[in-house]
Amino acid sequence: MAEELHSILEKVSQLTRPGIKADEVMDTYKAWAKMYDKDRKTDGYTGPIKVSKVLAESQGGRKDIRVLDVAAGTGLCGEELSKLDFCNIDALDASQDMLDVAKTKNVYRNFIKEFLGPNRLGIDDDSYDAVIGSGLFGTGHVKSDCLEQLIRIVKPGGVICLALRENRLHTNEGCKDLESRMAALQSECLWQQVSREIFPGYSSGDDGVVYLYRVL
């Protein structure tokens, strides 16, 4: 068990190593897709549980909202939302192999294969009541330059709930400007922070941080 956990942690670490390219990341997820859920359960990954709970609590009992799960991967956030009786969920991810696994879970209505970045997504303005995402930020992954797109596709008054490993804010080049960019977008009156919470046990004993923003 210890050896298996060490192997998983090494894989996670290598996926966000300095200088890693997006195509290397995609190749890794292609090879990992079928074992991803099992491995993340082994390393105690709770990010999807936490963001789903925070999103649900923000809705005051509403379950019919339209939600986009970004960097959805194999659908861990979708599964957790489904357990909380949300049923109008779409998935967006750059890896077709990960989305193929997510499809087997029968918790999403639509699947969108796109990389989340500064590029304009093929989604109309104000399409969603909420966006949710866990573990998406890092070198070779999603960066803070995606935030304007997330705001664009969420209706005014809707929410965006995102989580990541807290130590990446200080140690990972892909995350170091995340909070300053979040603050800048708030200064531009595009969204307003509702909450920022550091919580224990995000993954492998590390703390996580979860943000909830309301689109203005």
Side-chain angles (χ1 to χ4, degrees), residues 64-118:
D64 60 343
I65 63 169
R66 190 179 185 202
V67 183
L68 178 65
D69 179 7
V70 293
T74 59
L76 296 177
C77 285
E79 283 188 291
E80 295 303 326
L81 286 172
S82 180
K83 291 175 186 177
L84 296 172
D85 297 325
F86 290 87
C87 59
N88 192 1
I89 316 164
D90 294 343
L92 180 149
D93 199 272
S95 169
Q96 186 61 55
D97 296 274
M98 299 289 269
L99 286 176
D100 287 344
V101 176
K103 287 178 181 179
T104 67
K105 298 178 178 179
N106 300 314
V107 296
Y108 296 106
R109 292 195 175 186
N110 300 292
F111 297 86
I112 305 165
K113 184 182 178 296
E114 287 198 55
F115 185 82
L116 184 60

Side-chain angles (χ1 to χ4, degrees), residues 141-153:
H141 290 66
V142 177
K143 301 176 184 177
S144 65
D145 59 10
C146 75
L147 296 176
E148 288 92 335
Q149 279 299 300
L150 298 186
I151 292 169
R152 179 184 68 78
I153 65 176

